[in-house]
């Protein structure tokens, strides 16, 4: 059984929730200290600055996303399945890691000129490259239409990155159904033969099931 989070983890967790709810600029270390019943100096002792907390948020969040996708890609081989899995996963993050997802996505432009943050955000670039490579692979294998894979990646990735502005985990449609709708629209525009689209966009199908399993597997591995 996992133990209670340490003081440092609790501070970072609270910071992430405040950023998700208020935004980075409106997040105040004094408010976090008051909520946790500690001094502001304790937070500074553990992290130094608010900017360092944002760096850790982004590093931890995107590193975990990369690990999950690596596990998913071991289970799924075709470009269409892998691309569908990346879409489902992006929706599931909005539920499983909601505060961190919102905080990361809404504050992507923060510290844009910070060399440390630029290095950390290579994780995000790696994930985009993984998507672009699968689109390219699908084109080369004759599964996808001959589109500009770079532009297609930006369109898909960009639309998923803004989900935090409208997605409601308790809405009328389940996360699996929302993911299926995205897959249907996205893959429907890429696939030359849409015969496999029904299976890919089935919210109870193989792909979302594998994504759920791999996310839980990656989470357990990181905690172990």
């Amino acid at each position: 059984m996992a133990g209670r989070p340490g003081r440092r983890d609790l501070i970072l967790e609270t910071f992430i929730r405040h950023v998700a709810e208020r935004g980075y600029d409106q997040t105040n270390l004094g408010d976090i200290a008051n909520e946790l019943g500690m001094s502001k100096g304790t937070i500074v002792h553990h992290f130094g600055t608010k900017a360092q907390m944002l760096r850790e948020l982004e590093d931890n969040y995107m590193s975990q996303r990369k690990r999950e996708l690596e596990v998913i890609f071991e289970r799924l081989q075709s470009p269409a399945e892998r691309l569908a899995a990346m879409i489902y996963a992006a929706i599931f993050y909005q539920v499983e890691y909601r505060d961190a997802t919102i905080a990361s996505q809404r504050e992507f432009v923060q510290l844009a000129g910070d060399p440390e943050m630029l290095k950390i955000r290579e994780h995000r670039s790696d994930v985009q490259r993984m998507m672009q490579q699968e689109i390219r692979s699908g084109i080369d294998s004759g599964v996808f239409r001959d589109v500009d894979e770079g532009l297609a990646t930006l369109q898909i990735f960009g639309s998923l990155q803004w989900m935090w502005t409208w997605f409601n985990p308790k809405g009328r449609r389940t996360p699996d159904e929302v993911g299926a709708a995205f897959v249907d629209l996205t893959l429907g525009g890429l696939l030359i033969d849409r015969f496999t689209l029904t299976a890919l966009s089935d919210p109870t199908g193989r792909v979302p099931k594998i994504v759920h399993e791999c996310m839980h597997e990656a989470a357990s591995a990181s905690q172990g």
Side-chain angles (χ1 to χ4, degrees):
M1 180 180 296
R4 295 178 60 185
R7 176 171 286 194
R8 193 177 192 281
D9 291 340
L10 188 58
I11 293 169
L12 186 59
E13 180 182 297
T14 306
F15 167 79
I16 290 170
R17 175 166 52 78
H18 280 228
V19 173
E21 294 173 352
R22 310 176 182 185
Y24 178 78
D25 289 338
Q26 299 302 316
T27 293
N28 185 284
L29 297 188
D31 291 341
I32 295 173
N34 289 337
E35 180 177 328
L36 296 178
M38 62 179 63
S39 71
K40 184 177 176 180
T42 300
I43 298 177
V44 173
H45 169 74
H46 283 291
F47 293 95
T49 65
K50 190 169 75 165
Q52 178 57 28
M53 298 172 79
L54 187 64
R55 294 186 194 107
E56 290 202 28
L57 155 64
E58 183 72 2
D59 193 17
N60 295 343
Y61 181 78
M62 291 309 301
S63 295
Q64 182 65 12
R65 303 294 78 79
K66 280 175 58 179
R67 285 192 290 270
E68 288 165 354
L69 288 176
E70 288 165 358
V71 174
I72 289 168
F73 279 21
E74 289 177 1
R75 297 275 302 274
L76 299 171
Q77 302 303 316
S78 76
E81 285 185 326
R82 287 180 170 182
L83 183 56
M86 294 184 82
I87 294 171
Y88 278 113
I91 279 80
F92 298 161
Y93 301 154
Q94 298 285 339
V95 179
E96 299 292 333
Y97 311 102
R98 185 151 181 80
D99 286 343
T101 297
I102 294 174
S104 175
Q105 292 179 350
R106 77 178 293 170
E107 300 300 342
F108 175 68
V109 299
Q110 286 286 351
L111 310 183
D114 175 18
E116 291 185 57
M117 184 61 90
L118 289 173
K119 184 177 180 181
I120 290 169
R121 283 188 175 141
E122 276 299 307
H123 296 314
R124 188 181 294 265
S125 298
D126 289 342
V127 172
Q128 282 190 248
R129 280 191 287 270
M130 291 172 75
M131 179 176 287
Q132 184 166 331
Q133 287 168 2
E134 292 309 313
I135 295 175
R136 181 73 255 173
S137 178
I139 294 170
D140 291 342
S141 61
V143 174
F144 294 157
R145 296 188 301 112
D146 187 9
V147 299
D148 182 326
E149 70 269 23
L151 183 57
T153 299
L154 290 174
Q155 290 173 322
I156 300 167
F157 204 80
S159 66
L160 294 171
Q161 289 297 295
W162 281 94
M163 280 193 66
W164 68 271
T165 63
W166 60 265
F167 179 73
N168 178 7
K170 298 179 181 178
R172 179 175 58 87
R173 303 186 74 174
T174 68
D176 297 75
E177 290 171 341
V178 173
F182 263 72
V183 169
D184 182 72
L185 185 63
T186 303
L187 273 295
L190 286 173
L191 288 167
I192 293 175
D193 183 351
R194 298 187 181 184
F195 177 75
T196 60
L197 185 59
T198 299
L200 293 170
S201 60
D202 180 358
T204 64
R206 174 173 177 265
V207 175
K209 181 175 183 292
I210 286 176
V211 172
H212 280 301
E213 291 173 353
C214 290
M215 286 177 63
H216 293 152
E217 180 181 333
S220 297
S222 67
Q223 292 169 3

